Amino acid sequence: MSHGPVAVERWGVWEGRFAGPMPSAGHGGPGFSVDFDRDGERMSVPGFFDGDGHYLVRFSPPDTGDWTYRTRSSSEVLDGQRGWFTVTAPGPGNHGPVGVAGTFHFAHADGTPYRPVGATVYNWVHQATDLYESTLDAIAEAGFTKLRFLVFPQGGGHVEYVPPTFPFARTADGGWDVDRPDLEFFRAIDRAVADLLERGIQADVILFHPYDRGEYGLDGLSAEEDARYLDYVIARLSAYRNVWWSLANEYDQLERPDERWDDVFRQLVRIDPHERLRSIHNWIQLYDYNKPWVTHASIQNGWAVAEPGRAVLYRDAYRKPIVLDEIKYEGDTVERWGNLSAQELVHRFWLATVGGTYATHGESFLTAEGTLHIVVGGRFRGESPARLGFLRRILEEVDGTGLDPIDKWDDTTSTVGIPRRLYLQYLGRDAPASWAFSLPQGVLGERVELGDRYAVDVIDTWNMTVTRHPQVFTIDDVQRNSAHARGEVQLPEGQAIALRVSLVD
Amino acid sequence: MSHGPVAVERWGVWEGRFAGPMPSAGHGGPGFSVDFDRDGERMSVPGFFDGDGHYLVRFSPPDTGDWTYRTRSSSEVLDGQRGWFTVTAPGPGNHGPVGVAGTFHFAHADGTPYRPVGATVYNWVHQATDLYESTLDAIAEAGFTKLRFLVFPQGGGHVEYVPPTFPFARTADGGWDVDRPDLEFFRAIDRAVADLLERGIQADVILFHPYDRGEYGLDGLSAEEDARYLDYVIARLSAYRNVWWSLANEYDQLERPDERWDDVFRQLVRIDPHERLRSIHNWIQLYDYNKPWVTHASIQNGWAVAEPGRAVLYRDAYRKPIVLDEIKYEGDTVERWGNLSAQELVHRFWLATVGGTYATHGESFLTAEGTLHIVVGGRFRGESPARLGFLRRILEEVDGTGLDPIDKWDDTTSTVGIPRRLYLQYLGRDAPASWAFSLPQGVLGERVELGDRYAVDVIDTWNMTVTRHPQVFTIDDVQRNSAHARGEVQLPEGQAIALRVSLVD
C-alpha cells in the first residue's frame, strides 16, 4: 500500500489504513506503529485497531515536504509496509497545534497567539445527535475557544440518559474488556474532536473522571487497564492538532495516590508522538503542576477569582500558564458551585484576565428534565456567553504573547499588559464616575517614559462596547512605581468597566 | 580520648574536641567525621577545624541512652579515636528540634506545637556587643519565636558599619580563602545560635544573600567555594536544635540558575546529619517549594496578606507549611517595602493566621544613623512587636497541631480552626457593632452538630484583650456550608477584632 501522491496539510491529519489480524480478547492486538521520515527527521506513531480487520495510524506532520513511512508490527502482514506522501503548507485558519508561549500563555505552532476562553459540557459527546449538534453550534456561536468534555460517560448525577455505546465490550462476568474498544463509541469521540477542529476550538479531552456513582464501573479499572485504554485513545486522537489532554476532572475524588497519576502522565509523555498539552483538574487538592510533565495548570477554584489579587499567586507558584478550568457556573442550582449570576461569572473572567490567567465557563440552570448544560449541553440560557465572546475579541486584539501583571507585588489597580506598550486595567463591577490617568510601573521590563503618549479605550465588559476617549494622554510625571498624565476619563459610573491604554507611536 | 561519663541532654549539643593537623591554604583540612552509635542506631556527623590545632564535632543525640563514638579521618592522629557518653532526658524547656507537623504546621520533636512568629535582623550578629545584646533582648521580650539573620555581612545599603571579622582569611590576591575560616567570625555565629536557643527562639540562618553591592565579594564565590563554606558552617551549627537553614534571602537577585540552588539543597540534605528545616526566600521569582528537599515555603510577598483570601492559595500549591518571611515592614522608609503602619503589619499577621499560614516581622524606621532595625537591630521603636507577642499567646493557646482553613473554597468569613472544636475568625480592622453566631462548615473533617455548645472570646488584636462573652451558644441550625446558633455578640465597633469560638464539652 502506498498513499503517495495524496497530499496533506502541515499540522493536518494523515491517516493510513492497513489490513491486519483481529485483536484477541484479553490479549489485545499485535503491536503496531509507523515510522514517519523526512530528511532525517523521524516520528514513530502508534497505530490502533479500527475494526473490520483494519488498523489505522494517524499522523500530524510537523513540517512540509515529502514524508515516507514504514509500518512496524509483530504481525507479519502489518509489518514493513512502506509508502510516502506530500505535506503542503497549512491552509487558511490552520495555525498548528497550541503550545506554551511566554511562560504563562499559549500560541499556535506558527506563532499566532491562542487565548483560552473555555466552555464545559461534560457529556456532550454521549448525547443524541440533535443535542450534540446544538451544543456545538452554541459553543461556536458564543465564541468559546476551548471545550472540556469527558471521554467516559458520567453515571447518574443530573444524567438520566444512558448513552447508546460504551468504550469497551463487556467481559463474560460483566466487567469491561479494555482490549476490545467499541468502535462506534470511539468514532464519536473522533468526530467530536474533528468537529471542534473545524470550528477552531480546542478539545480539552478529559480522560478519566470520578462521576460514575457505581453505574458503569469505568472509574474502577485497574492501572493496567487504564494504561491500555490510554494507549488506544491517544493513538486515535493525538494527531488532531486541537487536542489537549486533561488527565481527569476532580482527580482527587478518585482517591488514588498521586503516584498513579504521575505514571499516567509519564505514559502520556511516552506514547503521544505529537506532544499535546497535558494537565489535570482538581477537586479539593491541587496536583503538583510543577512536575515536569505538566504543561499548564488546570485548576478548579472559584475563590481565586472571587476577588482581585488572588489568581496571580498561582503564576508565581507554577511558572506555567494558569487555566482556571472551573470557577463555579452561571446558573440556579442550590449548591454554591452552580448559582453564579452572569454578571459575577463575567466579572470572574475579567479578574482572571487581570491576574494574568485564563478561565473556563459552565452553565448550570436546572432544566425541566432535571439536568444542567454543563452535563448534557444544548443552547445556552445564560447571559454570560455573549460577554465572554466579547472578552475573547478583546484578548484577540492584544498584539503580543499575552497580558502579564505589571506590578504583581502591589497590584492595587488590577492591571496587566505589555510594559510601556499596552495596559488592560479592570475597575470591577462598580466603576467610579471618572478615572485619572495613571499607570503602574513594574520592577522588570520596559518602563513608561516622560513624553510617552497613550490612547484610552473604555471597555464596558457587560454592555460589550469599546469607546475610544478623545484625548491622547502625554506622560508628564514618572515615579518609581507609577506614571501619570494630566487628564481624566469620564466613565459610565456603576458599570463593569475595563480600560485599555495603548501607546501611540 | 574518652568523654564518658560526661552526660548530655537528648537534643542537646555534645561537643568533642580532638587534636589534628592544621588545614593547608587552598586544600582544606583532612576529612574528619565521627560515627555515633547507640543500639544499632548510627549517625555520622561531620567535624570541623576550630583553630589552635584542634577539631571539633558537634552532635545532637536524638535519643537517650549510652552512645559510643569513633572518629574517622585521613589524618592518622585524628582517626580511630573512641569514647562514649550518656544522653539523659531533656531538661525543662527542651522540646527538641522543630519539624513539619500536620502538613502545614510545625512541632518540636516531643510533639509540642511550634508556631512561628518571626522577626528579622539581617546583620544582627555582625554588630558590636552592646547592640547585639539589646537586639537579642528586644526580640525575646517581644515574644518572637524565630529570628532571621545573615551569616555573611551585608555590604552597604543602610550599613555603614564594617564588621571586625569576616568569614574567611584573604588570599594573596585579595579574594577569600574559604578553606581558612575565621574562627572569631564563626564563633560569633555559634554564640548567636546558642543565645537564641537559650531564649527558646528558632535561628533562621540565612546562608547566602545578594546584598554585597561590590563591597566584600562574598556573593561572588564559585559554586565549589560555596560548597566548602557550606560544609563548614553546617558542621559548626547543625547540632543546635533551633537551627533552620534559609539558603538565601532574595535568592533570585543573585541571578544564578535554579539548578545551582537545587545543588545547594542536595548538599544540605547530604551533609546535615540532623536534618534541620530547609527553605529559601525570594525576591521576584518563587523557588519551586514542591521540590522534595524543601521542608516549608519561605516566601516574600506582602501582597499575599494585604487582603483576605490570598495566602491560603500557597497552601494548596505546596502542601507544606507556608511562612511568609517578608510581608513588608513597619516603618517610614520612602520605599513601599518599609512603610507599613503598625496596625497594618499586625493586620497582615492576622490575615496570615486566618489563611492557615505564618508571617515574619521586620522594622524599618530610618534611624539617626541612616540605618534600619531590620539591618542592624536594637530596641524596637514600633508598636507592632507587642501585638505580635499577643498573637503568639493566642496561637500557643491552640490545643492542636495548627489552625487550618475551614472552608477554603468559600472562606468569606476568614475562619481557621480545628473542625467542630475550635474556630478563629478574623473580622478585619473595622469590626461591626455585633456578630451573629455562625460557623462555616468544611467539606472535609468533622462537622458542627445540632446541640453543640460554644463559648465565644472577643479578641481585640490591637488593644490585646480577650473577653469571654457571657452566653454559651447552642447550635440549632445546621446547613451544608454553615452552622448557626441564636444570639449575638456585641463588639467594639471599628476595632481590629478576632473571635475565638470553642466547643464546650
Side-chain angles (χ1 to χ4, degrees), chain B residues 153-198:
Chain B
Q154 180 171 344
H158 295 297
V159 184
E160 293 299 315
Y161 183 76
V162 175
T165 58
F166 282 86
F168 314 110
R170 287 285 189 185
T171 57
D173 61 357
W176 296 109
D177 182 353
V178 296
D179 292 317
R180 286 190 296 152
D182 184 289
L183 298 169
E184 234 185 288
F185 179 91
F186 280 101
R187 283 171 187 156
I189 306 280
D190 296 352
R191 190 186 65 156
V193 170
D195 281 345
L196 291 173
L197 177 56
E198 198 176 293

Side-chain angles (χ1 to χ4, degrees), chain A residues 108-364:
Chain A
H108 292 274
D110 74 352
T112 307
Y114 165 75
R115 329 273 191 202
V117 179
T120 313
V121 184
Y122 292 119
N123 294 275
W124 167 49
V125 79
H126 310 119
Q127 306 305 312
T129 307
D130 280 5
L131 185 51
Y132 169 91
E133 287 183 347
S134 79
T135 304
L136 188 60
D137 291 343
I139 300 291
E141 281 163 25
F144 288 109
T145 65
K146 178 166 83 69
L147 177 63
R148 284 177 67 72
F149 63 94
L150 307 174
V151 176
F152 288 169
Q154 180 172 343
H158 295 298
V159 184
E160 292 300 314
Y161 185 76
V162 176
T165 59
F166 281 86
F168 313 110
R170 286 286 187 182
T171 57
D173 61 356
W176 296 109
D177 183 352
V178 297
D179 292 317
R180 287 190 296 153
D182 183 292
L183 299 171
E184 236 184 287
F185 178 91
F186 280 100
R187 284 172 186 156
I189 306 281
D190 295 353
R191 189 185 67 157
V193 170
D195 281 345
L196 292 172
L197 178 55
E198 198 176 296
R199 286 157 184 82
I201 300 169
Q202 302 298 304
D204 206 351
V205 179
I206 303 170
L207 297 165
F208 300 98
H209 70 77
Y211 315 126
D212 195 88
R213 293 176 174 77
E215 289 282 326
Y216 309 134
L218 289 162
D219 58 341
L221 301 178
S222 68
E224 166 62 23
E225 289 169 324
D226 280 354
R228 307 273 268 279
Y229 150 66
L230 212 63
D231 281 339
Y232 190 78
V233 73
I234 271 61
R236 284 201 82 99
L237 298 181
S238 149
Y240 295 96
R241 68 176 172 274
N242 62 327
V243 162
W244 300 26
W245 305 122
S246 179
L247 262 59
N249 220 63
E250 297 193 320
Y251 84 98
D252 47 325
Q253 279 200 20
L254 281 164
E255 296 186 0
R256 298 170 180 179
D258 278 9
E259 291 67 30
R260 181 159 165 184
W261 295 108
D262 296 349
D263 286 342
V264 178
F265 271 111
R266 286 194 193 94
Q267 183 186 352
L268 253 182
V269 170
R270 195 171 63 242
I271 68 177
D272 177 9
H274 301 99
E275 300 179 343
R276 301 305 180 208
L277 293 166
R278 292 176 295 270
S279 195
I280 187 167
H281 167 279
N282 64 290
W283 176 48
I284 296 285
Q285 177 171 284
L286 296 193
Y287 184 79
D288 175 6
Y289 298 107
N290 277 317
K291 289 183 174 170
W293 40 72
V294 177
T295 55
H296 62 288
S298 165
I299 298 176
Q300 170 177 192
N301 192 0
W303 183 249
V305 281
E307 297 289 343
R310 292 178 185 166
V312 64
L313 300 188
Y314 285 136
R315 287 174 42 117
D316 289 333
Y318 299 123
R319 296 189 215 165
K320 291 179 184 177
I322 307 298
V323 186
L324 298 164
D325 268 325
E326 200 176 328
I327 56 174
K328 302 190 177 180
Y329 305 125
E330 180 186 357
D332 59 5
T333 65
V334 177
E335 297 93 348
R336 13 177 229 186
W337 50 257
N339 56 24
L340 294 187
S341 68
Q343 285 83 353
E344 177 64 19
L345 184 56
V346 172
H347 175 65
R348 291 182 177 203
F349 265 81
W350 279 88
L351 288 177
T353 302
V354 295
T357 67
Y358 300 95
T360 300
H361 168 273
E363 180 174 301
S364 58

